[in-house]
């Protein structure tokens, strides 16, 4: 594989954690956290299923070997996996008519029209990336599990979305529970995130959160991960007086999508300084959702928040080289 080499001086600055300066350095942002392992956790729908666990490990290995510049290999899915995809696809399609935001519906229609997504077969990452690159320059890159928030957010700075083969891009929900997965999985990535990453404002917002995360303190990472959680994963907006989902976690989970837009949970206006400190639920439906007027508006608020985000340096992203440069004020 070809790895772009970039020379820079590393500063001996102990209080700033290491962060990638070039898109190729995302190779080093692959620290996984163990949570919801189907080998040990009964909450995982695949708990105790040997065949499923073996398959998950196989896909994980494939992802773990991926390096910057590699060609993406096509994955051979089984008929049972395609079948799970079809079941979830049909169920979600029906709900999206009334509960997905207009951006999502527009982009999903485009993906279907171009044949990038189909209900029949699980798509390959290569064609998804060809589509996304034309729209917003975002690309999906396989990783082998649930990543640390720091590593996951860092890749967003370079418009790279790391999805694990295991639990995001290429691995399927366990077939006995097609409506729910405690981990982000292939359906979540492809039906939840992909249509949203095709939107310029959502793409920009994700990259902004990523850029803010580079070299940030642990406490700041926690705040950014929380904002990401409440907007990119579980965000709502209001369209023609109705609550509609913009978050991928909702758009890909038909139970929670209905719950989020109902009168049951609490709905609050998105205010980054407040949202960033809100505790969230990652084991069940959220009791609280944040509502934005729209994606553009949420981006505006995030930028205002970014302006007040303290760091000893600022960063400039260069889209031509896909690299960041530090700018220090003296
Ligand atoms: N890792 N593979 C993967 N996929 C995600 O969507 C993901 C992650 N790690 C953390 C994370 N998402 C977020 O919940 C935030 O912590 C940023
Ligand atoms: Fe996600």
């Amino acid at each position: 594989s070809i790895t772009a080499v970039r020379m820079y001086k590393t500063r001996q600055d102990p209080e700033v954690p290491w962060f990638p300066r070039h898109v190729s350095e995302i190779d080093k942002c692959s620290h996984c956290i163990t949570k919801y392992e189907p080998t040990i956790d009964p909450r995982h729908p695949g708990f105790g299923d040997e065949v499923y666990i073996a398959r998950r490990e196989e896909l994980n290995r494939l992802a773990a070997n991926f390096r910057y510049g590699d060609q993406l290999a096509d994955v051979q899915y089984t008929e049972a996996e395609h079948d799970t995809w079809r079941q979830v696809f049909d169920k979600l399609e029906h709900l999206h008519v009334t509960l997905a935001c207009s951006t999502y519906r527009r982009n999903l229609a485009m993906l279907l029209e171009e044949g990038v997504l189909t209900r029949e077969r699980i798509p390959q990452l290569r064609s998804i990336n060809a589509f996304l690159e034309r729209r917003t320059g975002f690309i999906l890159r396989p990783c082998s599990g649930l990543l640390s928030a720091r590593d996951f957010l860092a890749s967003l700075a370079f418009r790279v979305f790391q999805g694990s083969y295991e639990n995001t891009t290429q691995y399927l929900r366990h077939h006995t529970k097609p409506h729910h997965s405690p981990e982000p999985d292939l359906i979540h990535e492809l039906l939840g995130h992909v249509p949203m990453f095709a939107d310029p404002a959502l793409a920009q917002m994700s990259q902004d959160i990523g850029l803010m995360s580079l070299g940030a303190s642990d406490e700041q990472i926690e705040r950014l991960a929380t904002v990401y959680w409440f907007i990119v994963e579980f965000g709502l907006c209001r369209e023609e007086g109705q609550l509609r989902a913009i978050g991928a976690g909702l758009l890909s989970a038909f139970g929670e999508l209905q719950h989020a837009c109902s009168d049951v949970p609490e709905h609050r206006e998105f205010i980054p300084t407040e949202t960033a400190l809100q505790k969230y639920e990652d084991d069940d439906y959220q009791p609280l959702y944040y509502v934005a007027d729209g994606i553009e508006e949420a981006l505006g608020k995030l930028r205002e928040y970014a302006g007040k985000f303290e760091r000893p340096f600022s960063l400039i992203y260069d889209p031509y080289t896909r690299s960041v440069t530090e700018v220090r004020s003296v």
Side-chain angles (χ1 to χ4, degrees):
S1 74
I2 302 157
T3 304
V5 178
R6 226 180 91 88
M7 302 300 291
Y8 54 85
K9 275 201 173 131
T10 28
R11 280 173 309 100
Q12 301 302 313
D13 198 346
E15 81 266 19
V16 178
W18 177 88
F19 61 89
R21 260 72 170 185
H22 182 257
V23 64
S24 63
E25 293 174 346
I26 293 170
D27 282 353
K28 294 180 213 160
C29 300
S30 57
H31 301 98
C32 291
I33 47 177
T34 33
K35 207 173 184 183
Y36 303 124
E37 286 298 303
T39 43
I40 49 167
D41 192 338
R43 287 174 303 175
H44 196 291
F47 178 68
D49 182 334
E50 306 280 318
V51 177
Y52 172 81
I53 289 168
R55 173 66 166 156
R56 182 181 189 266
E57 278 168 9
E58 181 189 353
L59 293 172
N60 264 347
R61 267 196 304 278
L62 200 64
N65 291 331
F66 183 85
R67 292 291 175 277
Y68 173 75
D70 285 354
Q71 284 276 347
L72 278 165
D74 280 355
V75 175
Q76 295 296 314
Y77 294 108
T78 64
E79 280 312 310
E81 286 168 337
H82 288 301
D83 192 55
T84 304
W85 167 267
R86 278 192 289 273
Q87 282 181 53
V88 179
F89 188 97
D90 289 346
K91 187 97 187 192
L92 285 173
E93 189 177 41
H94 171 71
L95 289 177
H96 287 159
V97 177
T98 50
L99 302 177
C101 69
S102 57
T103 297
Y104 181 88
R105 283 178 286 130
R106 192 172 57 245
N107 288 329
L108 186 69
M110 210 182 307
L111 281 152
L112 292 169
E113 248 162 58
E114 295 192 18
V116 179
L117 282 185
T118 67
R119 95 173 262 286
E120 305 309 324
R121 313 294 286 174
I122 299 166
Q124 297 291 341
L125 274 198
R126 212 186 308 193
S127 62
I128 296 278
N129 278 348
F131 176 87
L132 279 183
E133 279 215 83
R134 276 204 316 281
R135 296 279 146 215
T136 57
F138 246 95
I139 51 162
L140 264 64
R141 168 192 165 129
C143 67
S144 60
L146 191 65
L147 296 170
S148 73
R150 185 179 289 280
D151 283 358
F152 178 77
L153 294 175
S155 60
L156 296 177
F158 301 88
R159 297 208 175 206
V160 172
F161 181 77
Q162 295 209 67
S164 80
Y165 270 104
E166 169 228 315
N167 63 10
T168 56
T169 52
Q170 314 252 4
Y171 131 116
L172 271 189
R173 285 163 199 233
H174 189 252
H175 62 87
T176 59
K177 288 196 181 176
H179 62 290
H180 172 76
S181 168
E183 308 176 286
D185 62 1
L186 180 139
I187 289 169
H188 170 72
E189 301 303 349
L190 301 186
L191 286 180
H193 284 294
V194 166
M196 294 309 289
F197 278 127
D199 177 63
L202 197 281
Q204 190 59 59
M205 191 156 70
S206 305
Q207 182 179 23
D208 282 6
I209 295 174
L211 286 167
M212 288 164 79
S213 81
L214 299 178
S217 68
D218 288 349
E219 195 194 342
Q220 288 177 317
I221 292 286
E222 182 58 34
R223 292 180 185 195
L224 293 170
T226 304
V227 170
Y228 178 89
W229 178 273
F230 279 116
I231 290 297
V232 182
E233 292 292 354
F234 293 96
L236 295 172
C237 69
R238 219 178 280 281
E239 281 178 3
E240 289 144 15
Q242 303 290 315
L243 289 173
R244 297 269 170 91
I246 56 178
L250 297 176
L251 291 162
S252 61
F254 49 79
E256 188 159 3
L257 178 57
Q258 287 169 294
H259 164 80
C261 297
S262 76
D263 292 337
V264 178
E266 190 186 340
H267 297 106
R268 277 191 216 159
E269 190 196 340
F270 173 54
I271 302 171
T273 47
E274 281 178 36
T275 305
L277 301 175
Q278 182 63 45
K279 287 272 160 279
Y280 58 82
E281 180 63 66
D282 65 358
D283 197 26
D284 205 344
Y285 292 172
Q286 307 295 315
L288 161 70
Y289 296 90
Y290 283 96
V291 184
D293 285 341
I295 302 168
E296 295 273 357
E297 178 252 21
L299 174 62
K301 286 184 176 177
L302 181 77
R303 293 211 144 153
E304 205 180 298
Y305 179 59
K308 296 179 214 138
F309 204 72
E310 285 187 16
R311 258 189 319 192
F313 54 86
S314 52
L315 289 169
I316 293 176
Y317 178 74
D318 178 358
Y320 303 106
T321 57
R322 296 201 145 197
S323 58
V324 290
T325 313
E326 273 175 50
V327 184
R328 285 189 177 251
S329 43
V330 241

